[in-house]
Amino acid sequence: MSDIPSFTEVVTRSGLSLSLRPVTRDDGPLLRDFFDKVTLEDLRFRFLTAMLRVSDDQIASMIDVDHKQTEDFLAFVDDGALVGSAMIAIEPAGERAEVAIAVRADYKHQGVGWTLLNRAADHAKTRGCRTLEAVESRLNQKAIEVERDSGFTVKAYPDDATLVIVSKQLQ
């Protein structure tokens, strides 16, 4: 079993206590269980395609990160349940990073997504990125609202009217 990185303790805007840590290679079963508790609509928004279940290959790519260019932060509540995931991928030049967040259905509206988004922005900034972006379905108004509340701007996605790019200047 690999070493588990240390946790960072945070409190969401709603007062929910979370423990955040980077993903490890042993977290596949944990992520599988987590995504089974994410709504189908939120799976579609997270992966930008309709699906009934996250594939084994997708889970493998989430745990096989280098912790430099790619990171996946996991958010846990006091009982150890995984309630959120924030995947950050930094482009090779290091100027821009992209984030994708998922929150378990029974923990939505408690500030988990907002907290993960801000953690992703802090991480990208410490890595020297100037911009953090997310590609969102235009239908994902709740996420877009959270992103706007966190200082992101919204623009059309080139060549796909169903998507938008939300971005935040970090430096």
Side-chain angles (χ1 to χ4, degrees):
M1 194 159 182
S2 66
D3 294 335
I4 305 263
S6 61
F7 285 89
T8 300
E9 305 299 323
V10 296
V11 177
T12 69
R13 297 190 305 183
S14 71
L16 180 67
S17 293
L18 296 175
S19 298
L20 305 179
R21 71 163 170 82
V23 72
T24 70
R25 291 186 188 265
D26 298 326
D27 287 330
L30 188 66
L31 282 165
R32 163 68 56 223
D33 182 60
F34 165 73
F35 280 112
D36 285 345
K37 294 177 177 133
V38 171
T39 68
L40 292 178
E41 178 181 55
D42 286 338
L43 283 179
R44 182 170 49 89
F45 289 151
R46 164 59 177 84
F47 294 97
L48 297 176
T49 188
M51 62 176 56
L52 296 176
R53 192 159 199 227
V54 178
S55 74
D56 291 339
D57 288 342
Q58 288 167 312
I59 296 287
S61 71
M62 286 182 241
I63 62 172
D64 186 24
V65 298
D66 63 11
H67 301 287
K68 291 181 178 131
Q69 296 296 118
T70 306
E71 186 61 85
D72 190 357
F73 288 106
L74 305 180
F76 299 85
V77 289
D78 289 336
D79 68 0
L82 176 59
V83 299
S85 166
M87 182 73 125
I88 303 116
I90 300 171
E91 69 177 6
E95 294 286 315
R96 186 181 67 81
E98 186 174 333
V99 64
I101 295 173
V103 176
R104 213 170 89 174
D106 54 339
Y107 279 87
K108 291 176 75 170
H109 311 293
Q110 296 186 50
V112 176
W114 184 87
T115 299
L116 286 170
L117 181 63
N118 286 291
R119 176 66 180 116
D122 290 344
H123 176 76
K125 187 174 181 177
T126 63
R127 296 285 186 190
C129 295
R130 294 177 184 240
T131 306
L132 181 63
E133 295 180 342
V135 178
E136 300 287 1
S137 166
R138 283 188 185 276
L139 300 176
N140 196 357
Q141 288 300 308
K142 291 176 185 172
I144 294 168
E145 181 180 321
V146 167
E147 290 154 339
R148 279 188 170 134
D149 286 348
S150 294
F152 285 70
T153 58
V154 180
K155 65 180 180 181
Y157 188 90
D159 301 323
D160 191 336
T162 68
L163 302 175
V164 294
I165 298 173
V166 294
S167 63
K168 180 177 184 177
Q169 297 306 306
L170 303 174
Q171 299 186 21

